[in-house]
């Protein structure tokens, strides 16, 4: 265990002294209990699938604890530090590097190699790669998340287009026509407190977002500045409203009212638009993969994976559950219950996905996604990136000033990582 991990564990152990760990179900007589932590609504959905798993594994009971998204990260770190981790957990793929740095989760390469269920070649490659750190696999993708464009077909037709944008130039030309009169209607909604939109545009560039093995920011690169310039221009030209996601209030109603035509968002909004827009508007909207600078563009490789903690006493049982939840038939049911999209190509052959015209664009986009840098500090870096980008959108910073400031903030956050790598240690959060 490295020094930082020992300090984290000692501090949390003192904080937890005398307190009972919540969420641990009482062991039933004659059974062994597998502790499974989930984040958000996934826990409710997976509980509907578990009776079948328990029937297949007599004597094994799965105890599910749902963690709220706002507290999940700290809860996982505290549990690790206090030697009270579950057997298996859902983990956002940007959190994987942090738990690997703490040596908290189990490598899974040998289990995958011997599995008749989990087939690496059936997974979207970039999604799979988010779980590979220093050449070792630490998680199996559970569901995927990426961003693309929701758009109003009827509004595009009014300005002369019978197809969605195919590159940045065409997209910007469309938005210029749609943003009339200025300040009343807009081409696109890009809430200024969300990082995902600028991140997707940045991932479409050839330049990496970090350099020197993740030691420094690379936001002064030509690629990032090109993405930032495009992003800022949408606000400068009044093609995107200068507002946060709180300011827009109800984005679904605003979409239906024509306040904006394009919405860069994720798969959960398929269900939201179907539920919130009136029947007469259901034929007016569609989804399309993101356009890139010169053609089809990349987007982010997001989602959650399933990992096994090193401290688990039931690793074989935990792996059995991962295999169960990785079956294409189970992933189809999970999608039908919750709408979370599967990470396996074969799972997309299910009629609920194959015959859904709104989901088809996500299937296409998943072949063109890119992972974010596998460093523990990444989520803090992109938070700073968006804070500075919002200043640039408001006109308070030039593109060069903003890029330099993001690099400065990223380099500060990466200081500990540089020190550990330069001294021959595994980087740690």
């Amino acid at each position: 265990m490295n020094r930082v991990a020992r300090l984290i564990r000692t501090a949390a152990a003192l904080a937890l002294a005398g307190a009972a760990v919540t969420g641990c179900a009482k062991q039933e007589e004659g059974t062994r209990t597998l502790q499974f932590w989930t984040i958000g609504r996934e826990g409710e959905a997976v509980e509907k699938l578990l009776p079948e798993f328990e029937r297949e594994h007599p004597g094994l009971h799965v105890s599910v604890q749902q963690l709220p998204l706002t507290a999940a990260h700290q809860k996982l770190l505290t549990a690790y530090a206090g030697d009270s981790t579950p057997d298996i957990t859902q983990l956002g793929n940007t959190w994987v590097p942090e738990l690997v740095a703490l040596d908290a989760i189990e490598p899974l390469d040998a289990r995958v190699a011997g599995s008749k269920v989990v087939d690496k070649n059936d997974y979207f490659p970039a999604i799979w790669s988010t779980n590979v750190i220093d050449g070792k696999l630490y998680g199996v993708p559970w569901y995927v998340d990426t961003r693309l464009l929701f758009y109003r077909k009827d509004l595009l037709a009014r300005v002369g287009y019978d197809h969605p944008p195919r590159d940045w130039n065409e997209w910007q030309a469309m938005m210029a026509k749609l943003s009339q009169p200025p300040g009343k209607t807009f081409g696109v909604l890009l809430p200024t407190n969300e990082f995902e939109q600028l991140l997707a545009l940045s991932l479409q560039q050839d330049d990496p977002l970090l350099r020197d093995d993740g030691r420094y920011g690379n936001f002064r690169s030509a690629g990032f500045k090109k993405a930032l310039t495009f992003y800022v221009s949408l606000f400068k030209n009044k093609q995107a409203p200068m507002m946060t996601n709180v300011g827009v209030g109800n984005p679904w109603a605003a979409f239906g009212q024509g306040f904006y035509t394009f919405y860069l968002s994720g798969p959960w909004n398929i269900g939201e638009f179907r539920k919130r827009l009136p029947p007469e508007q259901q034929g007016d909207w569609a989804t399309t993969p993101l356009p890139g600078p010169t053609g089809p563009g990349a987007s982010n490789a997001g989602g959650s994976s399933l990992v096994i903690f090193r401290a688990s006493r039931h690793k074989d049982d935990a792996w059995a559950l991962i295999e169960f939840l990785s079956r294409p038939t189970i992933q189809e049911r999970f999608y039908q219950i919750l709408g979370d999209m599967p990470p396996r190509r074969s799972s997309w052959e299910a009629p609920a996905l194959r015959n859904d015209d709104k989901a088809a664009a996500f299937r296409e986009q998943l072949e063109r996604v890119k992972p974010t840098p596998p460093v523990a500090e990444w989520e803090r870096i992109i938070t700073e990136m968006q804070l500075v980008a919002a200043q640039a959108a408001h006109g308070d910073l030039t593109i060069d000033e903003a890029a330099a400031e993001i690099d400065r903030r990223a380099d500060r956050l990466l200081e500990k990582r540089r020190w550990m790598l330069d001294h021959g240690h595994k980087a740690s959060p």
Side-chain angles (χ1 to χ4, degrees):
M1 186 189 304
N2 60 48
R3 178 176 175 271
V4 174
R6 285 198 300 271
L7 289 173
I8 291 174
R9 177 163 287 179
T10 300
L14 290 172
L16 288 169
V21 177
T22 61
C24 294
K26 182 178 180 180
Q27 180 98 2
E28 298 179 16
E29 187 175 353
T31 69
R32 59 195 188 280
T33 297
L34 191 67
Q35 298 291 339
F36 182 17
W37 287 6
T38 62
I39 302 171
R41 295 174 58 223
E42 278 70 27
E44 299 170 19
V46 80
E47 284 188 323
K48 298 177 182 179
L49 304 172
L50 291 177
E52 180 178 340
F53 175 74
E54 292 179 344
R55 285 194 298 271
E56 293 179 6
H57 298 81
L60 178 59
H61 171 65
V62 182
S63 174
V64 177
Q65 180 179 351
Q66 293 176 242
L67 308 179
L69 179 59
T70 53
H73 183 263
Q74 187 57 46
K75 174 72 174 176
L76 287 165
L77 289 180
T78 302
Y80 161 77
D83 286 322
S84 57
T85 52
D87 298 291
I88 178 175
T89 193
Q90 169 190 354
L91 198 65
N93 55 23
T94 58
W95 296 357
V96 172
E98 187 171 10
L99 291 190
V100 170
L102 291 172
D103 203 25
I105 54 178
E106 186 84 357
L108 300 176
D109 300 273
R111 292 187 183 274
V112 169
S115 177
K116 295 181 180 179
V117 177
V118 180
D119 178 6
K120 171 186 175 182
N121 296 321
D122 192 31
Y123 288 76
F124 296 107
I127 299 295
W128 184 269
S129 72
T130 62
N131 293 275
V132 178
I133 308 296
D134 296 331
K136 292 183 180 180
L137 179 76
Y138 289 92
V140 173
W142 189 17
Y143 67 84
V144 293
D145 178 22
T146 191
R147 299 295 191 276
L148 46 61
L149 290 180
F150 291 73
Y151 71 100
R152 288 280 300 272
K153 295 187 294 182
D154 57 329
L155 298 184
L156 268 186
R158 288 182 195 174
V159 294
Y161 294 96
D162 62 0
H163 61 274
R166 291 167 290 202
D167 56 36
W168 281 8
N169 286 337
E170 187 174 44
W171 187 20
Q172 202 150 31
M174 290 176 175
M175 290 189 287
K177 292 182 178 181
L178 291 162
S179 303
Q180 299 295 331
K184 299 294 184 181
T185 60
F186 297 89
V188 64
L189 178 65
L190 299 172
T192 56
N193 60 335
E194 294 180 359
F195 66 78
E196 289 87 356
Q197 294 86 348
L198 177 56
L199 174 62
L201 298 174
S202 304
L203 290 171
Q204 295 180 345
Q205 313 304 316
D206 292 332
D207 295 307
L209 295 173
L210 301 181
R211 61 182 176 85
D212 296 346
D213 194 24
R215 285 173 166 83
Y216 297 94
N218 197 36
F219 296 96
R220 279 176 283 192
S221 66
F224 179 77
K225 287 198 285 189
K226 181 178 181 179
L228 183 60
T229 298
F230 179 80
Y231 174 82
V232 168
S233 74
L234 302 178
F235 298 97
K236 180 179 178 181
N237 296 329
K238 297 185 186 290
Q239 294 167 6
M242 187 71 70
M243 57 177 55
T244 67
N245 54 19
V246 175
V248 74
N250 187 330
W252 310 281
F255 185 69
Q257 293 160 4
F259 181 61
Y260 60 91
T261 298
F262 294 103
Y263 187 25
L264 206 165
S265 191
W268 65 89
N269 266 321
I270 292 178
E272 292 296 334
F273 282 125
R274 283 177 170 155
K275 179 174 64 177
R276 295 171 182 268
L277 292 182
E280 61 270 21
Q281 282 194 300
Q282 289 300 325
D284 292 342
W285 66 279
T287 58
T288 186
L290 276 181
T294 59
S299 191
N300 64 304
S304 280
S305 297
L306 299 170
V307 303
I308 300 173
F309 277 94
R310 282 190 181 272
S312 170
R313 293 180 296 172
H314 306 292
K315 292 176 184 175
D316 290 343
D317 291 331
W319 177 249
L321 179 56
I322 289 178
E323 286 191 313
F324 174 79
L325 295 174
S326 299
R327 296 176 190 173
T329 55
I330 299 300
Q331 291 190 348
E332 177 189 4
R333 286 167 56 191
F334 191 61
Y335 171 74
Q336 290 175 325
I337 294 169
L338 192 60
D340 285 352
M341 292 182 162
R344 302 184 67 156
R345 293 186 177 101
S346 59
S347 299
W348 282 78
E349 294 305 311
L353 283 160
R354 187 180 66 243
N355 301 330
D356 188 336
D357 62 330
K358 304 297 195 293
F362 281 93
R363 171 66 178 80
E364 183 180 343
Q365 187 70 73
L366 286 167
E367 297 290 357
R368 292 193 303 275
V369 294
K370 289 183 179 180
T372 53
V375 300
E377 300 84 357
W378 179 246
E379 288 199 353
R380 287 178 288 167
I381 290 172
I382 50 175
T383 297
E384 296 297 327
M385 175 196 77
Q386 192 58 34
L387 290 171
V388 177
Q391 291 182 274
H394 278 90
D396 298 333
L397 296 173
T398 67
I399 297 299
D400 286 343
E401 289 170 343
E405 177 62 16
I406 300 170
D407 261 349
R408 186 186 70 78
R409 297 188 186 194
D411 292 350
R412 184 182 68 240
L413 290 169
L414 292 165
E415 185 176 5
K416 185 186 296 181
R417 175 180 174 82
R418 287 196 298 277
W419 185 91
M420 297 195 74
L421 289 175
D422 292 344
H423 288 80
H425 301 292
K426 181 188 289 188
S428 177

